[in-house]
Structures are given as C-alpha cells and as structure tokens.
Amino acid sequence: MKKYGVNELRKMFLEYFEGKDHLVLNSASLVPHNDNSLLLINSGMAPLKPYFTGQVVPPKKRAASCQKCIRTTDVENVGKTDRHGTFFEMLGNFSFGDYFKKESLAWTWEFLTQIVGIDAKRLYPSVYLEDDEAFAIWEHEIGIAPERIYRFGKEDNFWEHGSGPCGPCSEVYFDRGEKYGCGSPDCTVGCDCDRYVEVWNNVFTQFDGDGKGNYTELEQKNIDTGMGLERLALAVQDVASIFDIDTVRALREKICTLADKEYGAEDGQDISIRIVTDHIRSATFMISDGIMPTNEGRGYVLRRIIRRAARHGRLLGIAGIFLAKLSDAVIEGSKGGYPELFEKKDFIFNVLNQEEMKFNNTIDQGLAILGEMEEKMAQDGVKTLSGEQAFKLYDTFGFPIDLTVEILEEKGYCVDMDGFSAFMNEQKDKARKARKGTNYMGADATVYEALDPALRSVFVGYEKLDCRSDIIALTTESEVTEALTDGQTGTIITASTPFYATGGGQNGDYGMIKSAEGEFAVKDTIKIAGDKIGHLGKVTKGMFKAGDAAELLVNHNSRYDICKNHSATHLLQKALRTVLGTHVEQAGSYVDKERLRFDFSHFAAMTADEIARAEQLVNEKVAENIEVVITEMSLDAARSAGAMALFGEKYGDSVRVVKMGDSVELCGGTHVGNTGAITAFKIISETGIAAGVRRIEALTGRGVFEHYASIERILNEVAASLKSTPLSVKDKAEALLNELKQLKSENESLKSKAAKDALGDVGDHVIDIEGVKLLAVKVDGVDMNGLRDLGDQQKAKLITGVILIISAADGKVNLMAMADETAQAKGAHAGNLIKAIAPLVGGGGGGRPGMAQAGGKNTAGIEAALKEAEKVLREQVGSFV
Ligand SMILES: [Zn+2]
Ligand SMILES: [Zn+2]
C-alpha cells in the first residue's frame, strides 16, 4: 500500500466522487450559516442540513466534500489519546434522494481497496442488526465473506437525533494489526482497544422516527457518509497516532524544535506537545474564518484553545511568543486545500500574537493569585477551591476556568464547579436582564421553515428600483397565511423584487408594496433560506393575498443613501490599507441609510493624523468621480484580479466584483454609479471593539451636510449667547475665560481680607502655656472654610502653637482648632480640645491631633468655651511633661 499524504488523499477522494458525477463542494466556513443550533461546524453534513431537510433545493442531487470541522466536547482528552483532536477534516459523499445503499457501499469499498489500495483483508464492514439489505449488499454485491461482516445494535449503528429523519449505518473498520491490540483472545471488530478503528461511516436516512421507537419509511431517502481524513491517513500511513500523519507530524516536529524536546521521550511531555499541535491547527483555521477570541460563544472556544496552547507551550519551556510561528507551519501544510489560510496569513498571525501577549499577562497575574489560594487551601487542609474563588479568578482576572481546573487537578485539588456555575448563571442573568429584549422577526424565524421550498424570488434591484410581480407567499409573525389584512404585520414574498435584502453588511431596503386592493409599508427586507426574499412590514390599507399582482417601490432616497455609504466603505478599506498597511482586513461592516460602520484588524488606535489622511484619501477618490464598474466572473478569476474576499462569506461559482479605481472587492451590495455621487465623506469616530479590531463610523453625502449643519447650529447658538459672532466666538470665549480667572483671584483675596478684618489684631489674644502658644479668639460671620483659611494664616505666624477660632454665623457656632507639629510633640491635641469645649456651645465634635472642627447652637457659650480651652490645653501640655 502506498503511503499517501493527507493532501493527496483529500484530492483522491474528491476526484473519485467527481468521477461518479458528484458536485464537489468547497469546505464551508467553520461558522455555521443561518444555523443557530451549532456553535461550529462539526461534520461534513452540518452545512448541508437545509438540503437534507428539503428546506433548500440542492444544486445537484449528488455531492461530495472535504469539510473542516471543530469538535471540542472531548477537549480534555486531546493529547492523552492517539485519536482525539479538536480539529479534523471530514470527507463525505451525499445523496439527496438520489442513489442509496447499493451504490454508496460499493463506492466506499472501491475507494478504499482500489483507489487507496488498502488490503481488503484488513477491512471489516459492520451493519445495523436488522439491516439485512445492507448485509446482503456487502455479501452478494461486494463479495465479502459473511463471517467478516459484523452486526451491531442501535448505539453503534443507528443514527437518530430525537424525532425526525433517522436510519441505520454501515461502518468500515480497519485492522491496524496485532501490535495495537489488547491481547485478549476475544479481541475483534468492536473491541474497545486501538486495534480496529472505524474509518468510514455510511448513514442511510430512510426512516422518520417519532422519538418513541416508531419508524415509517421516508419517501426521499438520503445518504450521508463521513470519513475522518486524519483517521484514513493514519490507516494508510500505518502510523501510531493522528499526531504521526505527515502534515501533523511536520507541525509536531516544529514544536519539538522550538521547545528543544524529543517526542516520545517518556518525560511526560508528549501530552503537551500533542495539545499544542492540535490546538494551533484549530486556532489557525478558526481565525481564517473570521472568528476572533472573545468571552462568548465560538469566540470563547477559540480563546480557550489559544490559551491552552500557549500554556502548554510554556510548560514545554518555549520562551516568548511562539504561536504564530507554529501557525505558519499549519498554513504551509494545508494551504493547498484551503487557500484562505494563505490569504489571511498576516491577519492570523496578528490575532494570535495579540491574544498570546494578552494571555501571558493574564496568566502571570492569575497564577500568582491562584498560588495564594492554593497556599490557603493547604493551610486549611481543604481540597476543593470554592466556586466563589474560581469565579473571582475568572471574572476579575480573566483567568479561564478550565485552566484553574487543570492546574489544580495536576496538584491533586478540585474545583466546586456547581458553585462556579451558580455564580456564572447569576452573572448571565444580570446581563440578560440588562439587554433589552427585541422580538424581531429575523431571517431565522421558524415561521419560514413552513414555506414551500420550491418557491424562489429573483432580485432585480441592481438595475431598477421598482417592478411589478406576483405575490407568491405571505406569512404573519407566526404562520404561513393566505392573506394579510389592514393593520397586520408580516412578510410578503414576491416572484421578483427590486428590494435589496439585508446581507453582506448592507441593510435591507425600505419602501412600499401596492396592489389593487392594498398598501404595505416595507420596514425591512431579509433573505430567507432557499433563495427567497422577504419583505417585512405592515399592511397600511386594504389587504394582500397570494397570487395578487403587486407593484414594488423601493424608497429612492434611502436606497441612494445606502449606496453612497456602501461605496464609501470600499474606498475606506482601500484607504486604510494605504495609510495603515496591508494587515488591515475587514472584520465586519454595516451600512444603512444613516451611516457606515467598518470594523477592521489593526493593533493600535489610529492617530488623529492617520484618521485625517484616510478621510482625505477617500475624499480624493470621491472628487475624482471614478466610474464604479461591476462585473460577474468566476471566483478564481476574481482572486487573480486581486479582489478582496470576505471572511466566512459563502461565494457561488460566479461572483460579483465591484471595482472603483484601485479598489476591487467581491461584493453583492448596491453601489453608486460614480464615486462623485458620494459627494463627501467624514469619519466621526474611531474606537476599539475587541483585541486587535478597530471600528470606524463615518458619514457620506447628506449625512455629512447634516453633521456640519448641526455643528454650525450649535456654534451659532453659542455665539448668540456670548453676544458674539461665529467667527469671533473663539476670541470672545478666551477673553471671557481670562476675565473669569481674574475675577476668581480677586474674589479669593477679598474673602481672605474680609476674614482678616473679622479677626482684627490677634496679638493680644496669644498666651503662652508651658512654651506652647495658644491663640483663642472669637470672630463673627465666618463659615467653616473661612475658619480654616484663617487658621492657616495664623499658623504661619505663631511658630509653635495651637489656634482655636470660634465663629458665630447665622445663629450657629463654628469651632475650629489646629495644633502644629511642635505643639503636638508637647502634648497638644486639637481633636481632644474641641471635644472638651464643644458641649459649652451646645455641640459636639472632634478630630485629628493636628486639626479638628465642630458645630454648635449656643452662641452664649462662646466666651466660656474660649476660657475652657486655656484650661484644657494646660492639662494636655502639663500632663505630658
Ligand atoms: Zn482488543
Ligand atoms: Zn461591499
């Protein structure tokens, strides 16, 4: 058997099925399209679900693909076994109501034995217990001896997922040889050991199950097969684990070189080597599909994978930032099958670098805190970290929970995960309540699943903004309906429409649908699975029913505004790449009639100068009045013309290329005919929205003028209230500020003069008590702040002393005492002094040794209080000596 490489095997499989009249599909993005049930694509069949359910008519009844997949349910086992990995490629052939068991099993056998050349003696088919049909095909059509065909029960060979389509499976096992066996005399196909591995699974979707064990034959029977490419390579290359197959091994060796470690050295580090090997593959592919590391959903899966890889790299002793270097090896190994890896190379490296740096900071801080927690646990003889502490590490320090668990487990501790989850849920609840719930009818609303899949809408809105067409379907918010009447909200679907449906970052069109009997205000336009376009809105007059002839009228102004914003977005992307560099990739964009929003990869805030230059570049292109040229071509032709493709976007065979001068993009949106129509472009904000992702918001045309008009209006209002004109308002404001400053300082000195006058000449009031000077005086009409100012002034004069000032103001008494450091050294204590005398003026209070204050109500007691102060201070100083 020739030891084919992974890239060869992929190609052989797809070519084989192309030869059997299958449509070869490109791998879909790892981000599920219109499918909220999945976080990440985890099988070859997952992106094809709408074809299987009949919701969308497939382009051909036979298809084959090699699909990139991520599965993280077993992430804890990665590294510990020969076969677990989070990233894998799944080969599969599919029949949507076309061929069935006979053809599929024959091709399975032919591909494995004739094309790949695996020795038939090492292969064993299995069928579902009751599937005599499949058994007979293996025995009679393919010619396998019956004792080599195994029958297994439901858990192994029946595919079922609650209620709905289901059916038996037939698997092919590969015998890896005795050396992988468990040695038991009973060791055979189905044994738990590593000798017999399942390489290919054929699923025959032939029943409709009610979930209670009752099955009825389906009219349309489907085939869905899956073969792990890595698993196949493991068999063909006859190697010990998926970490030994050619492409993965090259990556593994690079890790060993970086870490200066030997694989298989039995120092317990193979697990870390394998984890890094697997995780960097997943991370590279996920980022190439536009997933960014975040704290939620698939972004969190990515963050977790990157951080685990970074941590195990550290455990291996790799110094510094290293993930991007490894990612380079992933890209080298797989770019043949996945050109997007190479195209997004710089972007992938940047994201990895940013996340790794961020993580290194987090980990240093988190490890220190976790270390303290461990110490405390050891002291207290506790073996479990409380949920609260684990949550604190996660929430406050960003330390991932799985890392906490992993690190503690290595040291024989565990984590109260129930407690942790309780804190997590509480936080999520809070977040949920904080979000305003919108019950908007989106493209994935279940009501659309009930629509006839054969219905189609044609978009004619590139050329015109109104057309006549027939209504082919209507829905209310909850069901498909025959008619919508006055006041009802719902969806109208027509055979053709000039309304652009939200997509590619462009908001759907607004407008009006009219018929002989009614009017319908379109508030939004959306894409519905199966090439349908839905107009969402409300019947404002009369009624609409299926079959009605209708007139569809897009609101011209809002469409033109959207076009201006969209075209400007293309110019902005080009300008940003010129000003900031080619690492700038679109990370998201959104245009509506009000403004445009563009998210892009860049690793620092833009400077004011960079923003001004980007804005100027766009305005120059606007002024050049460049014709916008839109052409349809093949994806390959578009790529070689330098068109910028988007992340995660699904492109058909023919793509639309939008060119404005040197800006060339794949885009399905609507555009102006000439850049001049944009009129003007203005960036209004530039902010960071995630690590390494910036967001620009900008205006065009009417929006720019409205923006400046509102600024001008404010300026006029300011000028008017300053009794000035817009042109001289700056000088006027500066003059006013100067005047204000002068008035403030005048006010200060007046205040302090007034206080001084109130105190009069204080010389007579100073007495000496055991070498500590005491100034105890009464003033009139000075508030507490004034008293403090007075105190400060006097303090400077007294040299060594205590100041007590009592003021009567508005029927209230304010007391303030100060003792300088020398007086304090001799025993004086302002706080105690105030405390002792305040009762004499009907108040209470106290304070620090150096400064204290109090209030009272009895002005008659002021003289007594002053007298008493002398006595108290004498006691303080006397007792001190
Ligand atoms: Zn065994
Ligand atoms: Zn576009």
Side-chain angles (χ1 to χ4, degrees):
M1 168 168 57
K2 188 175 172 235
K3 297 191 170 173
Y4 294 107
V6 166
N7 289 318
E8 286 173 296
L9 288 168
R10 186 193 302 113
K11 200 160 166 264
M12 285 158 73
F13 180 89
L14 296 175
E15 281 174 1
Y16 175 76
F17 280 99
E18 194 165 30
K20 301 288 178 201
D21 204 23
H22 284 59
L23 173 67
V24 172
L25 302 167
N26 282 329
S27 173
S29 165
L30 284 165
V31 180
H33 197 73
N34 282 341
D35 182 357
N36 294 332
S37 68
L38 268 185
L39 213 49
L40 291 157
I41 292 296
N42 59 5
S43 71
M45 181 268 204
L48 309 177
K49 252 192 248 167
Y51 298 156
F52 282 108
T53 58
Q55 204 186 342
V56 177
V57 179
K60 193 164 179 173
K61 287 186 162 188
R62 298 178 174 192
S65 68
C66 178
Q67 174 66 43
K68 48 191 168 184
C69 300
I70 302 254
R71 270 185 209 175
T72 55
T73 41
D74 281 333
V75 69
E76 279 76 24
N77 282 328
V78 172
K80 296 178 186 163
T81 73
D82 287 344
R83 284 185 264 161
H84 280 99
T86 56
F87 177 81
F88 59 95
E89 295 175 54
M90 184 88 108
L91 303 167
N93 55 293
F94 309 95
S95 158
F96 313 110
D98 191 50
Y99 62 82
F100 205 47
K101 291 181 194 178
K102 193 173 137 180
E103 296 83 352
S104 192
L105 292 179
W107 290 334
T108 295
W109 194 254
E110 184 177 56
F111 180 74
L112 290 176
T113 59
Q114 303 301 309
I115 307 296
V116 182
I118 299 178
D119 184 355
K121 288 202 210 68
R122 297 179 73 174
L123 296 173
Y124 297 86
S126 77
V127 299
Y128 172 56
L129 214 54
E130 296 171 12
D131 193 358
D132 295 333
E133 186 190 0
F135 195 99
I137 293 169
W138 282 117
E139 185 184 356
H140 302 299
E141 310 266 342
I142 300 171
I144 315 279
E147 66 274 14
R148 293 176 61 83
I149 308 168
Y150 288 75
R151 288 182 189 259
F152 291 125
K154 261 198 173 172
E155 73 237 43
D156 290 310
N157 276 17
F158 199 89
W159 184 84
E160 191 166 24
H161 204 76
S163 59
C166 58
C169 320
S170 178
E171 300 186 311
V172 176
Y173 286 84
F174 173 74
D175 178 3
R176 301 172 69 203
E178 239 164 275
K179 60 184 166 179
Y180 296 108
C182 55
S184 154
D186 300 332
C187 187
T188 181
V189 173
C191 180
D192 280 339
C193 71
D194 284 337
R195 177 165 175 180
Y196 299 95
V197 295
E198 168 216 326
V199 287
W200 201 337
N201 189 15
N202 273 254
V203 180
F204 312 123
T205 319
Q206 67 184 109
F207 299 119
D208 188 20
D210 63 0
K212 294 177 199 125
N214 303 312
Y215 303 103
T216 44
E217 286 276 327
L218 282 172
E219 207 162 295
Q220 179 190 312
K221 292 180 179 128
N222 299 322
I223 292 274
D224 150 28
T225 85
M227 170 159 62
L229 177 57
E230 289 81 358
R231 194 74 72 82
L232 174 67
L234 174 139
V236 169
Q237 298 174 15
D238 204 7
V239 289
S241 81
I242 55 165
F243 300 96
D244 297 297
I245 62 175
D246 60 331
T247 48
V248 186
R249 186 193 167 112
L251 175 62
R252 191 195 79 197
E253 277 166 1
K254 184 151 182 188
I255 294 166
C256 289
T257 310
L258 276 182
D260 198 18
K261 290 276 187 285
E262 205 158 318
Y263 187 67
E266 291 188 5
D267 51 3
Q269 300 211 290
D270 280 7
I271 293 185
S272 288
I273 295 173
R274 290 170 170 208
I275 289 176
V276 179
T277 307
D278 170 76
H279 286 13
I280 190 63
R281 296 179 79 208
S282 285
T284 302
F285 274 90
M286 286 173 85
I287 300 167
S288 79
D289 278 335
I291 301 170
M292 297 293 289
T294 63
N295 280 336
E296 257 191 9
R298 59 184 77 92
Y300 183 60
V301 174
L302 174 62
R303 168 159 285 170
R304 198 176 157 194
I305 279 174
I306 295 177
R307 293 184 162 196
R308 267 184 117 228
R311 173 160 180 273
H312 282 276
R314 276 186 157 209
L315 287 177
L316 289 170
I318 303 177
I321 298 289
F322 67 96
L323 291 177
K325 291 179 203 157
L326 297 178
S327 179
D328 198 24
V330 177
I331 295 170
E332 275 311 305
S334 298
K335 65 182 181 193
Y338 303 92
E340 67 270 24
L341 291 176
F342 190 70
E343 285 170 19
K344 309 286 182 198
K345 194 170 170 173
D346 291 341
F347 179 72
I348 295 169
F349 294 168
N350 273 331
V351 172
L352 283 171
N353 284 338
Q354 288 290 315
E355 184 66 11
E356 197 178 355
M357 280 191 270
K358 211 166 143 193
F359 178 62
N360 283 349
N361 295 337
T362 305
I363 208 170
D364 289 337
Q365 194 187 24
L367 282 175
I369 292 156
L370 188 57
E372 284 166 23
M373 290 178 177
E374 268 175 59
E375 230 167 77
K376 183 89 180 25
M377 284 159 72
Q379 271 170 22
D380 300 349
V382 179
K383 284 271 153 202
T384 307
L385 184 74
S386 74
E388 185 177 3
Q389 283 187 305
F391 183 73
K392 186 180 163 200
L393 262 175
Y394 165 80
D395 193 45
T396 317
F397 302 103
F399 203 68
I401 180 66
D402 48 300
L403 211 52
T404 306
V405 172
E406 209 172 297
I407 292 170
L408 287 181
E409 265 176 6
E410 281 162 15
K411 296 179 181 168
Y413 293 106
C414 55
V415 177
D416 172 14
M417 284 309 289
D418 289 341
F420 175 80
S421 306
F423 279 100
M424 254 332 243
N425 288 337
E426 194 181 316
Q427 195 198 40
K428 276 186 191 151
D429 266 359
K430 272 186 215 156
R432 203 172 301 132
K433 277 173 196 150
R435 268 199 306 268
K436 269 183 220 147
T438 49
N439 215 349
Y440 182 70
M441 220 167 143
D444 51 0
T446 46
V447 52
Y448 302 125
E449 286 167 17
L451 288 167
D452 180 353
L455 296 177
R456 289 274 176 288
S457 319
V458 179
F459 176 64
V460 297
Y462 288 132
E463 297 86 20
K464 47 190 178 183
L465 292 186
D466 45 69
C467 82
R468 290 179 172 281
S469 182
D470 291 343
I471 295 176
I472 54 175
L474 307 101
T475 80
T476 66
E477 281 173 42
S478 56
E479 60 191 348
V480 175
T481 178
E482 278 301 305
L484 283 173
T485 54
D486 198 0
Q488 260 191 309
T489 54
T491 314
I492 291 182
I493 300 165
T494 53
S496 61
T497 177
F499 283 76
Y500 182 87
T502 301
Q506 178 175 331
N507 200 50
D509 279 327
Y510 315 81
M512 175 81 82
I513 298 178
K514 282 184 184 170
S515 74
E517 292 172 77
E519 284 178 15
F520 182 85
V522 180
K523 304 266 188 249
D524 197 2
T525 310
I526 59 168
K527 282 182 187 152
I528 298 172
D531 293 330
K532 289 182 264 294
I533 295 173
H535 308 88
L536 302 186
K538 188 173 180 178
V539 180
T540 52
K541 196 176 129 191
M543 70 171 296
F544 288 84
K545 53 188 192 308
D548 281 356
E551 198 182 356
L552 294 102
L553 308 157
V554 173
N555 180 309
H556 289 212
N557 287 340
S558 66
R559 165 66 83 83
Y560 289 142
D561 288 343
I562 289 172
C563 288
K564 288 174 192 174
N565 284 335
H566 196 148
S567 299
T569 307
H570 286 211
L571 295 177
L572 173 62
Q573 173 162 359
K574 183 74 195 171
L576 289 172
R577 286 171 76 94
T578 307
V579 173
L580 301 176
T582 52
H583 63 279
V584 168
E585 290 273 0
Q586 173 165 345
S589 96
Y590 177 76
V591 294
D592 63 16
K593 62 185 164 68
E594 309 297 341
R595 64 181 61 201
L596 64 97
R597 198 173 74 198
F598 185 69
D599 299 342
F600 58 102
S601 51
H602 182 55
F603 298 92
M606 286 176 76
T607 63
D609 180 53
E610 285 167 342
I611 293 172
R613 273 161 61 210
E615 195 176 278
Q616 192 193 341
L617 276 177
V618 174
N619 277 316
E620 280 169 8
K621 296 294 168 194
V622 170
E624 282 171 30
N625 200 27
I626 303 162
E627 191 190 353
V628 178
V629 183
I630 298 175
T631 35
E632 299 253 340
M633 58 178 86
S634 75
L635 184 55
D636 287 340
R639 278 208 166 109
S640 48
M644 312 224 348
L646 288 183
F647 282 129
E649 210 41 50
K650 230 175 141 180
Y651 294 108
D653 295 335
S654 167
V655 293
R656 198 162 170 266
V657 177
V658 177
K659 188 171 183 306
M660 335 180 173
D662 47 9
S663 152
V664 186
E665 283 191 45
L666 296 189
C667 177
T670 61
H671 288 274
V672 295
N674 261 291
T675 57
I678 297 169
T679 329
F681 173 80
K682 172 78 195 143
I683 293 175
I684 52 170
S685 73
E686 193 272 347
T687 51
I689 54 165
V693 184
R694 311 294 305 172
R695 167 171 293 175
I696 281 182
E697 291 194 311
L699 306 169
T700 65
R702 183 181 55 79
V704 177
F705 295 114
E706 283 174 3
H707 175 72
Y708 284 124
S710 81
I711 289 177
E712 191 179 12
R713 200 178 56 241
I714 293 168
L715 186 61
N716 283 333
E717 283 168 13
V718 171
S721 62
L722 295 185
K723 308 224 170 347
S724 172
T725 62
L727 286 181
S728 55
V729 73
K730 181 169 173 275
D731 291 344
K732 178 83 184 202
E734 271 166 11
L736 282 171
L737 280 175
N738 277 334
E739 200 179 321
L740 189 62
K741 204 167 146 195
Q742 208 178 333
L743 286 172
K744 260 189 187 160
S745 99
E746 270 176 40
N747 186 37
E748 289 298 315
S749 60
L750 280 173
K751 254 166 79 183
S752 103
K753 184 169 179 294
K756 244 185 249 166
D757 289 348
L759 191 59
D761 183 7
V762 297
D764 300 344
H765 302 278
V766 178
I767 55 167
D768 187 291
I769 299 170
E770 312 277 348
V772 177
K773 290 198 177 83
L774 169 68
L775 167 66
V777 287
K778 172 177 180 282
V779 296
D780 284 319
V782 182
D783 65 7
M784 200 54 90
N785 286 336
L787 284 187
R788 274 199 297 268
D789 287 346
L790 270 179
D792 284 337
Q793 289 162 18
Q794 295 307 319
K795 209 159 128 186
K797 292 185 198 162
L798 273 178
I799 306 169
T800 300
V802 173
I803 298 159
L804 170 67
I805 310 175
I806 305 184
S807 153
D810 301 331
K812 282 186 199 153
V813 183
N814 294 316
L815 300 89
M816 193 280 311
M818 282 177 173
D820 68 10
E821 273 171 27
T822 329
Q824 285 176 47
K826 292 188 171 172
H829 190 294
N832 292 342
L833 176 66
I834 289 286
K835 205 169 161 187
I837 65 170
L840 295 170
V841 293
R848 290 171 281 121
M851 156 80 195
Q853 56 194 45
K857 298 181 289 284
N858 176 20
T859 47
I862 291 176
E863 286 305 326
L866 287 170
K867 279 252 147 41
E868 180 69 11
E870 199 180 319
K871 208 175 114 201
V872 174
L873 185 63
R874 202 172 290 282
E875 275 163 20
Q876 285 182 350
V877 178
S879 67
F880 190 75
V881 175

